[in-house]
Amino acid sequence: MADPTSFLFLLSMMLLLLQSYLFSFANAEILNVTTDKSALFELKAHISSKDSHHVLISNWSSNTHICTWVGVTCGSKHLRVKALNLSYMDLNEFSGALPEIGNLTMLRALFLYENNFEGTIPSSLLKCTQLQYLDMWNNNFTGRLSPEIGNLTMLTYLYLAQNKFEGMLIISLVLSKYTWYICMIYI
């Protein structure tokens, strides 16, 4: 018959290992959600709203979880931001430069159409390797679009028309077999 003290010792060690694993996993998840929250607060700080309802000012608060914020959709498993939709926003006209948003690494969809964003599209967007939908139609983006946007191999929908881009666009898009829509007309 087995010694009860060695059984208890083994059980204690297994529980200690399990607790250590769960603690490190929980810390990683908190850090990732915190990173997403910081990126969204940076976005909020860089855009000014002409909306009399103050949608972002009143809704994007440190008192609420980011997954409950207007325009934010999170994944059910990791609670990371997977979609950001600030299009129209109750007829708002957001304006200002778009900050570096590459820390939203789980982002799959970014919809910013029908606003007044200006400046260049941040290069950090290329860190969003999970990005499938990118719609920045009808803003005031300027400059040249980086050819490295072609490295976003998960991209299936790209719509950048009605902006103020300049120069010829030569993209080495490595289109996946799932890419179904691209519109980048310079007008």
Side-chain angles (χ1 to χ4, degrees):
M1 186 161 184
D3 182 18
T5 50
S6 46
F7 174 74
L8 287 175
F9 176 75
L10 250 158
L11 183 62
S12 299
M13 292 306 289
M14 287 175 42
L15 288 173
L16 186 61
L17 283 171
L18 179 63
Q19 179 184 7
S20 172
Y21 171 76
L22 291 175
F23 180 73
S24 66
F25 181 74
N27 275 348
E29 286 306 309
I30 289 169
L31 179 63
N32 289 335
V33 170
T34 302
T35 303
D36 286 358
K37 191 173 196 174
S38 295
L40 292 174
F41 273 134
E42 184 179 348
L43 175 63
K44 178 183 173 183
H46 278 79
I47 58 179
S48 61
S49 173
K50 297 177 185 173
D51 174 30
S52 60
H53 300 294
H54 303 290
V55 174
L56 294 188
I57 293 170
S58 62
N59 187 268
W60 288 22
S61 162
S62 57
N63 299 328
T64 58
H65 195 278
I66 60 173
C67 297
T68 64
W69 292 358
V70 169
V72 175
T73 304
C74 293
S76 58
K77 184 177 179 184
H78 299 294
L79 300 178
R80 299 284 310 275
V81 176
K82 71 175 188 177
L84 183 59
N85 186 351
L86 298 181
S87 301
Y88 294 110
M89 292 304 292
D90 196 24
L91 302 177
N92 293 352
E93 289 188 344
F94 293 117
S95 62
L98 193 61
E100 300 291 315
I101 58 174
N103 286 337
L104 298 173
T105 55
M106 300 300 288
L107 192 66
R108 292 194 177 118
L110 180 59
F111 300 104
L112 299 175
Y113 54 88
E114 289 285 333
N115 286 296
N116 285 316
F117 287 114
E118 53 196 33
T120 59
I121 294 178
S123 60
S124 72
L125 188 63
L126 300 173
K127 289 195 252 178
C128 299
T129 57
Q130 302 295 312
L131 201 60
Q132 296 172 357
Y133 302 95
L134 178 58
D135 192 338
M136 297 181 166
W137 171 73
N138 204 16
N139 279 286
N140 292 307
F141 289 113
T142 58
R144 295 182 187 270
L145 191 63
S146 170
E148 284 80 28
I149 198 166
N151 295 336
L152 297 175
T153 57
M154 302 294 288
L155 205 58
T156 58
Y157 182 92
L158 177 63
Y159 195 24
L160 302 174
Q162 301 294 325
N163 280 288
K164 298 176 181 178
F165 293 115
E166 58 190 48
M168 285 185 54
L169 179 65
I170 301 172
I171 294 184
S172 57
L173 273 175
V174 181
L175 299 178
S176 72
K177 62 183 177 181
Y178 305 108
T179 301
W180 56 274
Y181 189 80
I182 296 177
C183 181
M184 300 177 288
I185 301 166
Y186 292 171
I187 294 179

